[in-house]
Amino acid sequence: MNVWQGKFPEKNKKLDGYLATAPVTEFPAQTKNGLKNMVGNVWEWTADWWDINHTPTEKINPTGPPTGTDKVKKGGSYMCTKEFCYRYRCAARSQNTPDSSAGNLGFRCAKDFN
């Protein structure tokens, strides 16, 4: 997993071999389906609009509201560390405007397995 190792933001010890982003195939799969880089490396855009109001009932693949101003990003990035954002997990979510760009922001390709 590619996350910050060291005191953020002064020193990344690069224990994983990378100062910033790493190739997608660099680390082992993180899921039983063989998915890689679901955690760390870059925050990943999703198709969902951001909403802070969640239903109390469990949902499978909730899509969020039909419109909005911010899109959901998931998974954390190489800049995540316990001292800074501590968000490197699949369920981690944050938001940003769709016209945003950053060196720690990418996208996630997904396919239904129905």
Side-chain angles (χ1 to χ4, degrees), residues 8-111:
F8 186 86
E10 289 88 22
K11 175 81 173 158
N12 184 345
K13 296 178 182 178
K14 301 188 296 184
L15 300 175
D16 58 11
Y18 295 92
L19 180 62
T21 59
V24 173
T25 57
E26 187 62 22
F27 300 100
Q30 294 172 316
T31 71
K32 64 181 178 180
N33 294 324
L35 298 176
K36 297 183 177 191
N37 280 327
M38 296 294 290
V39 175
N41 210 30
V42 295
W43 281 99
E44 297 166 338
W45 286 117
T46 69
D48 300 341
W49 290 105
W50 175 259
D51 189 9
I52 59 171
N53 300 310
H54 300 287
T55 62
T57 57
E58 184 176 328
K59 285 184 145 185
I60 296 173
N61 193 21
T63 57
T67 63
T69 57
D70 290 351
K71 287 284 196 172
V72 174
K73 58 184 184 176
K74 295 193 77 163
S77 80
Y78 69 88
M79 294 174 69
C80 288
T81 178
K82 288 181 181 178
E83 293 78 27
F84 178 58
C85 76
Y86 200 31
R87 304 281 292 171
Y88 44 89
R89 56 190 179 92
C90 291
R93 56 192 297 275
S94 188
Q95 89 283 359
N96 221 333
T97 58
D99 60 351
S100 298
S101 65
N104 68 332
L105 183 59
F107 61 93
R108 178 180 296 186
C109 295
K111 178 183 178 192

